[in-house]
Amino acid sequence: MKNISELTVILKAFLGWSKPRTELLSHLLCALFAVRTVNLKTIANAIRSSATEDSRYRQLQRFFAQFEPSYQQLGRFLLRLFFSQDDLLYLTIDRTNWQFGKCNINILMLGIAYKKIAIPIYWVLLDKKGNSNTQERIDLLKKSLVIFRGYKITGLLGDREFVGKSWFRYLQKNKIPFYIRIKKNLNVTDSQGKVTKVESLFSGLKSNEACYIDEAIQLTGVFVCLSALRLSAGELLIIASSEAGKNSIDIYARRWEIETLFQCLKSRGFNLEDTHITEQSRVRKMVGVLAIAFCWSIKTGEWRCEQGETIRIKKHGRPQKSLFRHGLDLLQQIGLQTCHCLKRIRHCLKLLINEPYAPD
């Protein structure tokens, strides 16, 4: 990419890394856009440099091995790209995991729902396979709450993994509203002290019918509000929320946006599972690089739409491609140096400082 030095200045200002590390990050991002894989050998081949292939590869290995960035600072950078302190934030929490050889790679991530896709903000690697536990979730939130100082958290959205007495009490103590899906066979206690399976409260629901219970119900020793929807396949979708309201199901539906994020980091974008890196701190750093690339792609896709390069709607009513892919396509052209318009390149750089578009 042309203007590597300008990209380096922008990233250094927000991340606070040394100039050599930030410059390597700039080259890494440009090569990543070009090849769209996290395989370091492939990235090394795409970096334009007078150094040998082996030298470029060793530079990348050292980049992922030799320092630990501030993930809170990185999260703050990504947050400010999309949100102001006047915005209401719906946080969404989830895991993605896969196996490389005998090694389990298990990422617990917190994102913010945004235009049908989640923006990655903070993540950790779990030293195990399977579900997170309460303490791991609490640790994640404690460290990420520093990022959200001055911002309004409207709700935390999570799937059935994210249920528990201590977990719910932590969220209530810290005044974090939540909308969490729960299993249908959990026991609940009504205001008369009667214990029953939660599914029995909604047994009369018909397909695509929803119901909201006005009174607070005790679940795992914590009082919550319950809503349910009978899905078209017959399954019950039951939501426990900390706040009364009949829109809990619609709010919870935005949880899916973090699944879309994971798809973009993996098969639809950067092929995260192609990495042969297994050491946790290095995988975490790789996700950080992808988070910057992903957010830059979203910003670029938005800008293209604002400039009249709209995404075509197909006959079945769905867009031809996502906002993420719309931006990634242009950044890939820039990374491959098949885009020769300096004006477009410079404005893509300005998107990283959230600078409004000003026509020349």
Side-chain angles (χ1 to χ4, degrees):
M1 180 196 276
K2 300 173 182 178
N3 302 85
I4 281 288
S5 59
E6 189 175 349
L7 175 58
T8 300
V9 169
I10 292 170
L11 292 174
K12 187 178 185 303
F14 287 103
L15 300 178
W17 300 359
S18 68
K19 183 179 178 181
R21 285 197 179 112
T22 314
E23 187 172 14
L24 182 58
L25 173 62
S26 300
H27 283 288
L28 170 55
L29 285 168
C30 296
L32 176 65
F33 285 128
V35 299
R36 290 181 51 188
T37 178
V38 295
N39 184 281
L40 292 188
K41 281 285 189 181
T42 305
I43 291 175
N45 290 335
I47 291 178
R48 295 179 180 269
S49 168
S50 58
T52 66
E53 174 192 339
D54 288 343
S55 178
R56 282 174 276 158
Y57 180 60
R58 286 194 297 271
Q59 277 186 306
L60 291 174
Q61 287 181 311
R62 288 194 295 270
F63 175 83
F64 286 101
Q66 290 184 349
F67 85 111
E68 189 71 9
S70 168
Y71 290 98
Q72 291 168 326
Q73 187 173 8
L74 175 56
R76 192 76 173 182
F77 167 50
L78 300 175
L79 175 67
R80 288 172 173 172
L81 280 179
F82 296 92
F83 304 99
S84 72
Q85 294 187 347
D86 294 328
D87 291 323
L88 304 179
L89 308 182
Y90 282 106
L91 310 186
T92 177
I93 186 171
D94 204 0
R95 283 184 312 108
T96 185
N97 62 277
W98 68 93
Q99 193 165 4
F100 179 72
K102 294 183 179 180
C103 180
N104 292 291
I105 300 174
N106 196 357
I107 303 169
L108 178 64
M109 180 172 285
L110 189 71
I112 305 175
Y114 179 78
K115 297 183 180 180
K116 300 184 179 180
I117 199 166
I119 303 302
I121 296 297
Y122 195 78
W123 53 93
V124 295
L125 273 289
L126 303 182
D127 190 19
K128 63 180 183 181
K129 65 178 181 179
N131 290 354
S132 61
N133 60 42
T134 296
Q135 192 57 52
E136 288 164 342
R137 299 169 208 153
I138 290 176
D139 289 345
L140 178 81
L141 268 188
K142 278 182 177 179
K143 292 175 181 177
S144 61
L145 286 178
V146 175
I147 299 170
F148 298 110
R149 284 177 182 165
Y151 288 78
K152 171 66 175 177
I153 298 176
T154 311
L156 175 71
L157 320 178
D159 208 352
R160 286 168 287 195
E161 173 181 336
F162 302 96
V163 174
K165 179 178 179 179
S166 298
W167 171 239
F168 282 170
R169 285 186 172 176
Y170 172 80
L171 295 175
Q172 290 179 337
K173 179 182 177 181
N174 287 274
K175 298 180 180 179
I176 301 174
F178 58 83
Y179 302 83
I180 308 287
R181 185 177 183 181
I182 63 175
K183 296 178 180 178
K184 65 180 181 180
N185 60 351
L186 290 180
N187 289 328
V188 293
T189 306
D190 63 19
S191 57
Q192 283 75 44
K194 180 182 177 182
V195 178
T196 185
K197 298 290 183 185
V198 67
E199 65 178 332
S200 67
L201 301 177
F202 304 102
S203 58
L205 283 182
K206 299 177 181 178
S207 180
N208 297 316
E209 186 178 7
C211 177
Y212 168 77
I213 296 178
D214 291 326
E215 65 176 14
I217 301 290
Q218 193 174 97
L219 170 71
T220 66
V222 177
F223 283 98
V224 298
C225 301
L226 295 179
S227 305
L229 170 67
R230 179 77 67 181
L231 302 175
S232 55
E235 185 180 2
L236 267 177
L237 172 70
I238 307 173
I239 307 302
S241 61
S242 57
E243 311 233 332
K246 297 186 178 181
N247 59 344
S248 298
I249 293 173
D250 291 335
I251 292 173
Y252 170 79
R254 300 196 66 184
R255 186 208 71 84
W256 184 255
E257 297 183 24
I258 198 169
E259 301 282 2
T260 308
L261 164 63
F262 289 150
Q263 291 168 2
C264 292
L265 297 182
K266 293 180 175 182
S267 58
R268 294 184 183 176
F270 301 113
N271 295 290
L272 176 56
E273 293 184 10
D274 284 354
T275 183
H276 293 178
I277 298 173
T278 56
E279 203 279 323
Q280 289 188 5
S281 66
R282 301 182 190 186
V283 175
R284 191 183 188 196
K285 201 179 302 179
M286 176 64 79
V287 175
V289 172
L290 296 191
I292 296 172
F294 169 83
C295 291
W296 195 0
S297 298
I298 294 290
K299 295 290 290 185
T300 303
E302 289 180 325
W303 173 70
R304 292 188 72 181
C305 290
E306 290 167 3
Q307 303 314 303
E309 300 174 48
T310 55
I311 301 171
R312 185 171 68 86
I313 303 300
K314 302 176 81 171
K315 290 182 179 179
H316 51 54
R318 294 191 293 272
Q320 182 183 33
K321 56 184 175 180
S322 67
L323 198 63
F324 162 73
R325 181 58 185 270
H326 199 38
L328 179 58
D329 285 347
L330 176 56
L331 291 173
Q332 186 174 35
Q333 293 168 35
I334 294 173
L336 290 168
Q337 297 199 22
T338 57
C339 174
H340 304 292
C341 179
L342 289 178
K343 180 180 175 182
R344 285 168 71 81
I345 294 172
R346 288 183 182 132
H347 191 75
C348 285
L349 290 169
K350 290 179 181 179
L351 294 173
L352 286 174
I353 53 178
N354 211 13
E355 184 174 308
Y357 176 66
D360 293 340

